[in-house]
Amino acid sequence: MTKEEMEALGDVLVRQQASMESRYNAFKTLRDTGGYDAFVQIARALRDPSVLLSHECAFAIGQMGIPEALPLLLEVVCDESLNVILRHEAVVGLGAIGSNQEDVVAALRQYAKCEHPEVAETCEVALGRIEWLHDGRAQTETPPPSRFPNIDAAPSYNTEDVDALCSILVDNERPVFDRYRAMYQLRNIGTPEAVNALAKGMRDRAAASSLSHARCHSSGFKSKSILLRHEIATVLGQLRAEEAVEFIYERTSDLSEHGMVRHECCEALAAIGTDRCYDILREFSEDKDEVVRDSCVAGLGMDHICLCLSK
């Protein structure tokens, strides 16, 4: 793709009058193309009024691993006037790039103590990954290979023991970085048992009273961590886990659930892509929460694209 073609896509991406579907498609094309010129265009929408688009741009920029993104992401993290979902995703971007330069680490430590758990916990995870990358563990530990292309927010534990991983996942007293590591490895295992352990994590607000896998399997739990709940939805979408659709629907339809979790559930449903998923997306396509509503519209747009390509 030429630089001019990327600029044209960037113009669509930031055009407020354009439909969400067309703007989102422009973003996806730029993201999938990659490279510095695509980064420049995606960065134009980093502070877009649409929380859905701006936070997707922050995530994509982090995944690109371009050092020039660091000051842009730092500015977003430190701007307390911005939506917490966007700031959370900017922190994710910093963690993905993995730089331990002084200003990055200082900002993450500062906001790991902030009043917004969506931001604070993400800073904890990002700091955990940066420390893991630079303290020697990345050379001595060997995370298992992953079939998923994204840079995970935390390295997976290298074990196939679903019971042990579930015990870590449900333990609200463990650092969220450790729980992320367990979650990603359950995703990597991907068996029905592992998917069930993940899906049950979407269900109940209270912490599990027992940390055994049997307890996790029978009664479920819902982590106190908004961050973990939203990332569980993400990995269920990555797995295309049809058996988890009704668990995801429960969280989507709970209007008391945090919008960050509900939005990620909508993205997971779009990724799973069954008829039932699209029915759910239609149900919430006029939701009062903007990021939930936009996620449904974008997901239904993906359905339209897939139908067109299959003809």
Side-chain angles (χ1 to χ4, degrees):
M1 185 180 297
T2 67
K3 184 176 181 178
E4 290 72 23
E5 289 172 327
M6 289 194 194
E7 289 174 351
L9 285 170
D11 290 343
V12 175
L13 176 61
V14 300
R15 188 177 300 143
Q16 301 296 311
Q17 297 78 15
S19 69
M20 177 56 61
E21 181 181 340
S22 62
R23 299 179 72 200
Y24 201 71
N25 289 340
F27 158 74
K28 289 187 293 181
T29 302
L30 288 165
R31 177 199 64 192
D32 295 345
T33 300
Y36 184 81
D37 289 335
F39 152 69
V40 170
Q41 297 307 315
I42 291 173
R44 294 170 62 188
L46 193 53
R47 290 171 175 263
D48 192 90
S50 167
V51 176
L52 176 68
L53 275 180
S54 59
H55 104 289
E56 292 284 7
C57 290
F59 179 79
I61 287 172
Q63 293 289 308
M64 289 176 173
I66 294 173
E68 289 84 350
L70 288 173
L72 300 178
L73 294 171
L74 269 176
E75 286 178 6
V76 171
V77 172
C78 297
D79 187 342
E80 298 181 18
S81 70
L82 295 174
N83 186 283
V84 293
I85 297 177
L86 171 57
R87 294 176 66 213
H88 140 78
E89 210 67 67
V91 176
V92 173
L94 292 174
I97 294 172
S99 171
N100 66 343
Q101 67 183 45
E102 186 176 349
D103 56 346
V104 171
V105 173
L108 292 176
R109 286 177 177 163
Q110 175 184 347
Y111 287 102
K113 301 175 183 178
C114 80
E115 62 182 342
H116 301 291
E118 311 92 325
V119 176
E121 288 191 331
T122 314
C123 287
E124 291 178 30
V125 174
L127 283 168
R129 181 172 189 271
I130 290 169
E131 291 169 3
W132 181 87
L133 284 171
H134 296 280
D135 66 6
R137 283 179 292 164
Q139 286 71 49
T140 59
E141 295 182 12
T142 308
S146 172
R147 67 181 186 273
F148 303 97
N150 288 346
I151 300 170
D152 287 335
S156 302
Y157 283 123
N158 195 351
T159 177
E160 298 292 315
D161 188 335
V162 172
D163 281 354
L165 293 167
C166 186
S167 292
I168 296 169
L169 181 68
V170 304
D171 188 350
N172 279 302
E173 302 306 313
R174 292 288 292 259
V176 69
F177 179 72
D178 292 350
R179 299 173 75 188
Y180 257 51
R181 298 188 70 180
M183 173 189 64
Y184 286 130
Q185 181 57 4
L186 285 168
R187 176 206 62 188
N188 291 342
I189 294 169
T191 62
E193 184 182 33
V195 169
N196 186 72
L198 290 165
K200 293 287 186 179
M202 303 294 292
R203 196 165 225 179
D204 304 312
R205 284 188 187 275
S209 59
S210 166
L211 299 184
S212 71
H213 182 61
R215 176 70 173 171
C216 178
H217 193 280
S218 63
S219 65
F221 82 106
K222 183 178 174 188
S223 167
K224 293 178 181 178
S225 167
I226 294 166
L227 186 70
L228 190 68
R229 295 201 303 273
H230 111 286
E231 195 67 10
I232 289 173
T234 298
V235 300
L236 290 172
Q238 288 180 316
L239 286 167
R240 309 291 195 267
E242 293 185 27
E243 61 269 46
V245 167
E246 295 309 316
F247 289 99
I248 297 171
Y249 175 66
E250 287 182 15
R251 299 274 38 88
T252 309
S253 59
D254 182 354
L255 301 185
S256 68
E257 178 60 277
H258 195 289
M260 188 166 85
V261 180
R262 296 181 66 226
H263 132 75
E264 208 66 56
C265 286
C266 294
E267 293 207 334
L269 291 167
I272 296 168
T274 64
D275 288 344
R276 170 63 173 151
C277 292
Y278 292 124
D279 286 343
I280 297 170
L281 292 176
R282 292 185 190 96
E283 179 179 346
F284 294 100
S285 62
E286 297 183 4
D287 196 86
K288 292 182 179 179
D289 189 312
E290 175 194 321
V291 71
V292 173
R293 183 173 65 248
D294 285 352
S295 299
C296 291
V297 171
L300 291 168
M302 289 168 61
D303 178 33
H304 172 73
I305 293 165
C306 291
L307 287 173
C308 291
L309 290 176
S310 67
K311 291 180 180 178

